[in-house]
């Protein structure tokens, strides 16, 4: 998985490419934990994400909980495959998806 990080003031955008699974989710978790200090808006762009596993969902949920304390988080450009996983797991009700 590739993580592209862009920061504009207090807005951080993480664009994910590839597969977010058991192998790659610790990397995303590390990037988020080291990058969100002082961030008021976290945007996670999933346009090029091919697959998400339960481990990936756990990282997104953890990020959402952290951002609830210090600002907002939204998930953008969700493709059909990932959207179906969000629907089945109920994450569409937990996350702000645009």
């Amino acid at each position: 998985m590739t993580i592209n990080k862009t920061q504009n003031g207090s807005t951080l955008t993480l664009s994910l490419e590839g597969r977010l699974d058991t192998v790659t989710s610790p990397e995303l978790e590390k990037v988020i934990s080291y990058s969100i200090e002082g961030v008021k808006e976290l945007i996670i762009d999933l346009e090029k994400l091919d697959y998400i596993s339960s481990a990936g969902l756990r990282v997104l949920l953890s990020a959402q909980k952290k951002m609830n304390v210090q600002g907002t988080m939204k998930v953008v450009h969700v493709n059909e495959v990932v959207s179906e996983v969000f629907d089945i797991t109920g994450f569409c009700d937990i996350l702000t998806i645009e």
Side-chain angles (χ1 to χ4, degrees), residues 11-30:
T11 299
L12 174 65
T13 302
L14 300 177
S15 301
L16 310 183
E17 187 174 338
R19 295 172 57 90
L20 181 54
D21 55 24
T22 306
V23 174
T24 59
S25 61
E27 179 185 356
L28 177 60
E29 193 168 34
K30 188 166 73 172

Side-chain angles (χ1 to χ4, degrees), residues 1-12:
M1 179 181 66
T2 304
I3 303 170
N4 295 308
K5 190 166 93 168
T6 309
Q7 185 143 9
N8 184 4
S10 63
T11 299
L12 174 65

Side-chain angles (χ1 to χ4, degrees), residues 24-88:
T24 59
S25 61
E27 179 185 356
L28 177 60
E29 193 168 34
K30 188 166 73 172
V31 168
I32 290 171
S33 67
Y34 287 127
S35 304
I36 64 169
E37 186 174 328
V39 169
K40 297 293 179 200
E41 181 180 30
L42 176 62
I43 300 169
I44 300 184
D45 188 337
L46 303 183
E47 183 175 15
K48 296 181 179 175
L49 192 70
D50 301 323
Y51 172 81
I52 188 166
S53 73
S54 59
L57 292 173
R58 183 185 55 76
V59 174
L60 292 181
L61 181 60
S62 174
Q64 180 68 64
K65 287 180 179 179
K66 289 175 185 173
M67 289 309 299
N68 283 345
V69 173
Q70 68 187 57
T72 62
M73 178 178 123
K74 64 182 173 182
V75 180
V76 299
H77 302 129
V78 179
N79 65 40
E80 195 174 313
V81 173
V82 175
S83 181
E84 187 175 330
V85 173
F86 286 168
D87 287 341
I88 291 169

